[in-house]
Amino acid sequence: MSGGQPETKIGRRGIAVAALLLTASALALLRPAPAFSQETELRGEVSESAILADQQRKARQLRAQGTQDQNAPASVVQDTAPTTYQPASPGAVPDDDHTASASDSVFDQPQAANDPLADTKAPAKPRRPSTAKQRALNAKADTKANTKTADKSKAKKKTGEATDNTTTAATAAPGGQADAAATDDGSNRRAVTIDSVDKQKLDPGQERTGSIDGQKVKPEEDPFAAPGVRIGTFLFRPTLEQGFTATSNADSSSTGKSAVLSETALRFTATSDWRENSALITGYGQFRNTVSGEKINDAQGRIEGQLNVDLDNELRAIAKLGYEAAPESASSPDAIAGVTQQPLRQTVDGSLGVEKSVGKMRYALTGAVSHDFYGDAELSNGTTVSQKDRDSTLYTATLRTGYEVSPALTPFTEVEAGRRVYDLRTDTDGFQRSSTRLGARAGLELDMGEKLSGEFSAGWLREAIDDSRLPAVAGPSINADLKWSPERGTTIGLTGKTSVETTTTAGQSGDILYSSRLTGERQIRANLTANSALGLDWRDYTGSDGHDLILSAEAGLTWWLNRYAGVTTRVRTEKLTSNLPGRDYTANSVYLGLKVQR
């Protein structure tokens, strides 16, 4: 038993030594570690000048350390390598090494107070020694960077921070990899400066792309359409056409002769660009003068405006106002024979309509007024004949009711009532020409977009004259206004109209005129457009079996030289056949002119 006591003492002593070693190891783990990386959380806001100064100070320390390493033995150099990375970014104003804060950095880790292990240094990392040639290159880089410091300080903060981070990361590479990446060969290296970072090639995925203006522009749908002129809130598109017409019948009459005429035509449209409501103004004027042949000197034209206003509760108002002036046609039933110039007919018309939608039902009420007044007729003997007994005003009211079967089809019915009032209660022959108008029609509205749109209707129209000696003017009423586009660039139109033509000829009531036009337009090329038209008119005289049949055909081409000017030509033929004496005629004509638009 006495031999076992020393073993017990040795075992207790060993346990005590082990406990002390464990305690020392725990204290070593708890002590603050030296800073081997840059402090990321700054103590307050740091200016850009302070960052540059800190980088320059560390660059000088790195070069001084390299000089010491060159003079010292290799073994010593390996033991005295700096314990932290030293970013080299030359180019700032040198620090004052004599001041107390010359060696202090805003990025240094604060020293812990009363730390017995604070002086313990981390193992040094090996570093390749610098040569005299390398020091010369570093000094040259410092001189170049100092000249550009002022300009670099004016750059944006974001750009400066990105450049500094790039330079710091390159310098902090272990084993001097940043210097090795910047060398031309193994023994010649240069300092990484801000300029060199700016000149580095960007990643191909981050390069700037070309401007949008350089991309392919989508071609215009109609490159030769008039661009228009903006006047206030309206887009004004004028067209002027000047040319010459060679015709076999200058005035389209049974006694007409051939002539060469100078024709000038002015047309325009003005469309509003309002947000909710809309307005449209259209007009034309045509002037004809004889160059050679039968004497013709006349003018005609029309201007019309339309205003659409959207009201509350699915209510819409449409207002129209127009003015027209044209000489009496030589083929008119009321044309006067033996005159040098037919009387001028002027018309002022206007209408106001209100449309209402209630579910699928459609209602529209329109009131219209049209006033016709005539100038005097000039006879070949120098005298004039008054036409005031032909002046009259027509008042009408039309009520339409429709039902929307589908968005494309809306059948409707409408009734019309009106009164025609002559300025002279009794004309020069003693007849009372005022009359009462009644009409009823049924039709269909079509709305299939650009493919097919418009409406057509058929019914009955009657005007009863106040004078009992004159029969009422009555007959079927047919109206149509359709647009059909079988393919892109082709438009076919069909129009039809029924109108009552009054007269002041003794013992006659007047006639009903049915007018129809079939038109076609084809865009052969972007700068070449073809158009054609077929016309059919039928005039039925009331109180007799007299009638007129008028057939016409026309074809034309327009070749646009550019967006603003083009050459146009057309040929036309017209033939009137009547069972009344002295009314038949045929007129053929050819036109060639220049058209300009804006």
Side-chain angles (χ1 to χ4, degrees):
M1 294 181 62
S2 61
Q5 291 179 355
E7 295 176 356
T8 302
K9 293 179 181 180
I10 294 174
R12 292 178 179 176
R13 188 179 298 109
I15 292 173
V17 172
L20 290 176
L21 291 175
L22 290 176
T23 303
S25 300
L27 292 176
L29 293 175
L30 293 176
R31 71 176 180 84
F36 289 93
S37 62
Q38 183 178 351
E39 179 69 14
T40 58
E41 295 182 0
L42 302 179
R43 299 183 299 278
E45 183 177 0
V46 180
S47 63
E48 185 177 356
S49 60
I51 296 174
L52 294 175
D54 182 75
Q55 294 175 353
Q56 295 167 1
R57 178 189 61 80
K58 291 183 177 181
R60 289 192 298 274
Q61 292 179 355
L62 182 61
R63 291 192 296 272
Q65 184 67 33
T67 303
Q68 295 176 1
D69 293 342
Q70 184 179 4
N71 298 331
S75 59
V76 179
V77 171
Q78 295 178 358
D79 295 338
T80 59
T83 60
T84 60
Y85 76 93
Q86 301 294 333
S89 180
V93 179
D95 293 335
D96 188 2
D97 296 337
H98 300 285
T99 60
S101 60
S103 61
D104 296 335
S105 171
V106 295
F107 299 98
D108 290 343
Q109 182 75 13
Q111 298 293 332
N114 302 325
D115 189 358
L117 302 178
D119 295 332
T120 304
K121 295 185 178 295
K125 295 183 179 180
R127 179 180 175 86
R128 292 187 303 172
S130 300
T131 62
K133 183 177 182 179
Q134 293 168 356
R135 291 196 304 274
L137 291 175
N138 290 340
K140 184 177 180 180
D142 288 342
T143 304
K144 180 179 180 181
N146 289 334
T147 60
K148 296 184 178 180
T149 301
D151 294 337
K152 292 298 179 179
S153 62
K154 297 180 181 179
K156 292 183 179 179
K157 183 176 181 180
K158 183 176 180 180
T159 305
E161 292 176 354
T163 306
D164 294 341
N165 293 337
T166 305
T167 306
T168 303
T171 310
Q177 294 179 2
D179 293 340
T183 57
D184 294 333
D185 50 43
S187 61
N188 183 18
R189 66 182 181 183
R190 62 176 181 271
V192 179
T193 63
I194 295 178
D195 292 336
S196 63
V197 173
D198 290 342
K199 294 179 181 179
Q200 291 180 359
K201 186 177 181 180
L202 292 175
D203 181 63
Q206 299 178 353
E207 293 181 355
R208 294 173 62 92
T209 59
S211 63
I212 298 178
D213 296 339
Q215 297 181 359
K216 185 178 181 180
V217 180
K218 182 179 179 180
E220 297 184 54
E221 183 176 352
D222 188 357
F224 293 92
V229 179
R230 183 162 298 279
I231 301 178
T233 59
F234 284 84
L235 185 61
F236 182 71
R237 289 189 173 95
T239 300
L240 178 63
E241 187 175 326
Q242 175 62 52
F244 297 93
T245 298
T247 177
S248 62
N249 193 335
D251 61 354
S252 299
S253 67
S254 58
T255 59
K257 300 177 182 179
S258 62
V260 176
L261 306 177
S262 171
E263 292 190 11
T264 303
L266 173 64
R267 298 177 179 85
F268 72 90
T269 61
T271 308
S272 67
D273 60 353
W274 304 338
R275 177 177 301 177
E276 297 178 355
N277 307 319
S278 63
L280 174 64
I281 303 175
T282 60
Y284 80 92
Q286 185 175 8
F287 308 90
R288 299 195 309 166
N289 291 281
T290 299
V291 177
S292 65
E294 185 176 357
K295 183 67 174 179
I296 296 294
N297 185 10
D298 59 27
Q300 63 179 2
R302 178 174 176 83
I303 183 171
E304 181 179 357
Q306 177 175 330
L307 175 64
N308 301 329
V309 179
D310 292 330
L311 306 176
D312 295 335
N313 301 322
E314 299 294 330
L315 200 61
R316 184 173 179 233
I318 302 174
K320 296 180 180 179
L321 182 63
Y323 169 78
E324 183 177 0
E328 186 77 51
S329 174
S331 61
S332 171
D334 289 332
I336 302 174
V339 297
T340 58
Q341 186 174 358
Q342 293 290 339
L344 181 65
R345 175 181 177 178
Q346 302 180 70
T347 302
V348 178
D349 53 54
S351 64
L352 178 61
V354 179
E355 297 180 354
K356 174 71 174 179
S357 298
V358 181
K360 290 184 175 294
M361 297 299 297
R362 304 289 183 265
Y363 302 97
L365 178 62
T366 304
V369 178
S370 178
H371 178 65
D372 297 331
F373 52 100
Y374 296 81
D376 296 337
E378 298 179 3
L379 302 179
S380 56
N381 58 10
T383 62
T384 60
V385 178
S386 176
Q387 300 291 302
K388 288 188 177 298
D389 59 346
R390 300 177 62 187
D391 297 350
S392 64
T393 304
L394 176 63
Y395 305 90
T396 60
T398 305
L399 175 63
R400 174 181 291 194
T401 303
Y403 180 80
E404 185 181 282
V405 177
S406 69
L409 301 176
T410 304
F412 66 90
T413 61
E414 65 180 17
V415 294
E416 179 183 355
R419 178 71 177 170
R420 189 187 300 272
V421 179
Y422 278 79
D423 292 354
L424 296 179
R425 182 180 178 85
T426 303
D427 63 10
T428 55
D429 295 324
F431 291 92
Q432 296 180 359
R433 295 288 178 176
S434 298
S435 59
T436 301
R437 183 186 184 103
L438 292 174
R441 289 173 291 273
L444 181 65
E445 290 184 14
L446 302 173
D447 187 4
M448 301 180 183
E450 297 181 356
K451 207 67 177 176
L452 180 62
S453 62
E455 66 176 51
F456 64 91
S457 63
W460 189 264
L461 182 62
R462 183 177 187 271
E463 275 199 29
I465 303 175
D466 292 348
D467 199 311
S468 59
R469 295 173 293 176
L470 300 175
V473 179
S477 174
I478 302 174
N479 297 288
D481 187 4
L482 297 172
K483 293 289 185 182
W484 176 44
S485 179
E487 62 180 4
R488 192 174 188 86
T490 301
T491 303
I492 298 176
L494 175 63
T495 59
K497 183 180 180 182
T498 301
S499 56
V500 174
E501 293 182 332
T502 60
T503 182
T504 56
T505 304
Q508 296 183 9
S509 300
D511 61 78
I512 292 183
L513 177 63
Y514 302 94
S515 302
S516 62
R517 294 288 184 275
L518 179 64
T519 61
E521 183 175 329
R522 172 65 178 174
Q523 189 173 14
I524 302 174
R525 296 174 54 187
N527 63 340
L528 183 62
T529 304
N531 57 77
S532 61
L534 295 175
L536 172 62
D537 296 352
W538 175 265
R539 180 178 285 114
D540 187 14
Y541 293 91
T542 302
S544 68
D545 60 352
H547 59 265
D548 295 341
L549 176 63
I550 305 173
L551 298 175
S552 62
E554 180 179 316
L557 286 173
T558 301
W559 176 39
W560 292 102
L561 305 175
N562 52 44
R563 185 185 289 271
Y564 305 101
V567 178
T568 181
T569 181
R570 60 178 174 267
V571 294
R572 176 180 173 82
T573 181
E574 183 175 297
K575 182 178 180 62
L576 185 148
T577 303
S578 178
N579 60 356
L580 299 178
R583 292 192 54 76
D584 294 355
Y585 74 86
T586 301
N588 301 317
S589 61
V590 178
Y591 173 83
L592 178 64
L594 178 67
K595 180 186 292 186
V596 293
Q597 65 180 8
R598 184 68 175 91

